[in-house]
Amino acid sequence: MTKDILKDMQAYREELTAIRHDIHKHPETAFEENRTADIVAARLTEWGIPIHRGLGKTGVVGTLKGKRQGQRAIALRADMDALNLQEKNTFDHRSVHDGKMHACGHDGHTTMLLGAARHLAQDPDFAGTLHFIFQPAEEGEAGARVMIEDGLFEKFPCDAVYGMHNMPGLPTGHFAIRPGPMMAASDTWTTLFRGTGGHGAMPQMGTDPTQPAANFITATQGIIGRNVSPQHAAVISVGHIAAGAYGSPNVIPSDVTIRGTARSYTPADRDLLERRLAEIAHGIAAAHGCSVEHHYLRRYPPLVNAPEQTAIALKAAALTVGPDRTDGDVEKLTGAEDFAFMLEQKPGAYILIGNGGSIEDGSCHYVHTPHYDFNDQIILTGAAYWVNLVNVELGNAA
């Protein structure tokens, strides 16, 4: 069955590659994916798939009914947005927009799902209903949540939802997944220590917020080492520090701002990180005679794959590339994904497809870097995976 799928898809390999290159060349960031959405909508319409536009501002949903009777409905999701990053590639399809780049492969994700839509529209030999979700704003703006808030699952009810992401360093066309928590919750915290500041030569005349700030940065790692269970995984990292003026090193600043990220996989650990960061910030500030303002923002929840849907995804992957090229127990990732919002609403699974190369020897570039590019060799593999997933889920698998 898979060989037939891939053989049939060869007829439009060049067309899909051209679509991917066109989207890559014209990147659009969060909630501005109008041109990309136009391409998606035009193609789906051309293939006879009814569409709905406007969920999440620029989202597109196509719905395909199987030609056989069935009550089950599933959804397949691809993200469309690019990043605010200057591309350093020199190939012909490099970005034409300064400061914007498809550095995470969403151009490829969109193309793979379009390829599956084209193939399935030609002969929808399945039982039930299939929704193709093309989502905006995955990169930090929670487009999945916005689509849900706009009524995604009320307008397009489904029993399960599936996502896929490319993974540099994983061999080309291999698949990897795990049941349960697979990607971390991503939260942002901001801590502002306030003192009086003063002359650097006379620190006793005021209160110095750099002292509690320095102690706080060191103490945050004690949360990981002494509060989080050794059997769990969590991360606290500082990503921004701001204080004083570069030209006045003899002035003790009156305030210090520290911002960072917190990653965790369970609700209990997420609660723990939020609580302990606040407790330590307030305790250290008081010990140094300073005040503190501390804010913790919950951004993306942990991505949790349902066991049943994980098994279905793994079966579809094995049908596509063979069981020797699939991994059902991949290590957890500390990155985050807003597809997690959809998995909070519906059972489903999120799988990785290998983009190839090796990070260690420099034969590939990781996502979110200026030399990254999606691997065109996996467009048909990813599209065939989606088709096999539909066949497994909606009753047409061998």
Side-chain angles (χ1 to χ4, degrees):
M1 176 177 59
T2 300
K3 290 182 179 178
D4 291 339
I5 292 171
L6 289 172
K7 181 179 179 181
D8 291 344
M9 286 183 175
Q10 292 296 331
Y12 39 93
R13 173 190 289 274
E14 291 185 5
E15 178 186 0
L16 291 176
T17 301
I19 291 172
R20 207 281 291 181
H21 287 187
D22 184 45
I23 295 174
H24 186 98
K25 193 171 184 176
H26 301 89
E28 297 171 303
T29 50
F31 301 120
E32 297 176 349
E33 307 91 343
N34 295 294
R35 185 182 185 278
T36 306
D38 287 344
I39 292 171
V40 169
R43 294 292 178 158
L44 294 179
T45 301
E46 177 186 341
W47 301 328
I49 300 174
I51 63 166
H52 181 283
R53 301 188 65 170
L55 293 180
K57 299 182 181 179
T58 54
V60 181
V61 180
T63 299
L64 183 63
K65 298 283 187 179
K67 65 183 183 182
R68 293 186 283 117
Q69 291 295 320
Q71 298 300 313
R72 190 164 177 80
I74 65 170
L76 313 179
R77 171 270 201 176
D79 36 18
M80 300 187 294
D81 59 319
L83 282 158
N84 291 298
L85 182 67
Q86 183 64 45
E87 183 161 11
K88 294 185 178 179
N89 290 311
T90 58
F91 44 61
D92 289 343
H93 61 275
R94 66 187 178 276
S95 173
V96 297
H97 299 309
D98 286 342
K100 295 181 185 294
M101 175 190 175
H102 268 293
C104 202
H106 299 185
D107 50 339
H109 302 167
T110 296
T111 304
M112 290 189 294
L113 190 54
L114 282 174
R118 173 167 185 168
H119 182 88
L120 289 162
Q122 291 174 340
D123 183 19
D125 187 20
F126 57 86
T129 302
L130 176 60
H131 301 299
F132 302 97
I133 301 172
F134 293 88
Q135 178 211 304
E138 189 280 326
E139 297 290 357
E141 298 296 334
R145 187 194 65 215
V146 177
M147 289 190 82
I148 292 167
E149 291 171 349
D150 283 353
L152 174 64
F153 293 127
E154 288 76 28
K155 291 181 173 66
F156 305 98
C158 63
D159 299 293
V161 62
Y162 293 88
M164 177 166 48
H165 202 291
N166 77 95
M167 175 58 69
L170 184 66
T172 302
H174 285 225
F175 288 90
I177 195 171
R178 66 177 293 119
M182 181 168 160
M183 299 186 75
S186 174
D187 300 329
T188 299
W189 49 267
T190 303
T191 307
L192 170 62
F193 291 98
R194 291 191 183 278
T196 62
H199 198 298
M202 295 174 282
Q204 77 279 11
M205 303 301 293
T207 53
D208 181 356
T210 68
Q211 292 296 300
N215 280 276
F216 173 76
I217 291 171
T218 302
T220 59
Q221 299 312 306
I223 300 173
I224 305 299
R226 286 296 177 264
N227 298 139
V228 176
S229 169
Q231 297 178 344
H232 295 189
V235 177
I236 295 175
S237 293
V238 173
H240 174 80
I241 304 171
Y246 183 83
S248 299
N250 63 335
V251 175
I252 297 171
S254 60
D255 54 73
V256 180
T257 299
I258 306 167
R259 302 192 74 216
T261 188
R263 306 293 172 112
S264 56
Y265 293 97
T266 70
D269 284 343
R270 197 180 198 188
D271 290 344
L272 171 67
L273 298 186
E274 180 175 5
R275 174 174 58 81
R276 289 296 290 139
L277 279 166
E279 291 173 348
I280 291 171
H282 286 280
I284 287 178
H288 287 82
C290 292
S291 63
V292 64
E293 298 174 16
H294 179 80
H295 303 282
Y296 190 99
L297 175 63
R298 296 193 174 206
R299 298 178 64 249
Y300 290 3
L303 185 147
V304 182
N305 285 332
E308 180 181 352
Q309 281 67 42
T310 301
I312 290 170
L314 194 60
K315 181 177 181 180
L319 284 170
T320 306
V321 298
D324 59 327
R325 301 177 72 193
T326 61
D327 179 1
D329 190 28
V330 68
E331 290 186 358
K332 297 175 184 176
L333 301 174
T334 49
E337 237 285 353
D338 76 344
F339 186 67
F341 288 107
M342 294 190 183
L343 291 179
E344 285 187 326
Q345 301 293 316
K346 301 291 179 180
Y350 184 82
I351 199 167
L352 303 175
I353 181 172
N355 204 55
S358 170
I359 305 297
E360 288 75 17
D361 66 14
S363 60
C364 75
H365 298 281
Y366 205 64
V367 294
H368 290 220
T369 60
H371 289 288
Y372 166 85
D373 190 33
F374 184 85
N375 187 347
D376 290 329
Q377 294 181 44
I378 65 174
I379 292 175
L380 295 190
T381 307
Y385 162 78
W386 282 132
V387 174
N388 279 322
L389 179 65
V390 173
N391 290 335
V392 174
E393 261 278 17
L394 300 182
N396 194 33

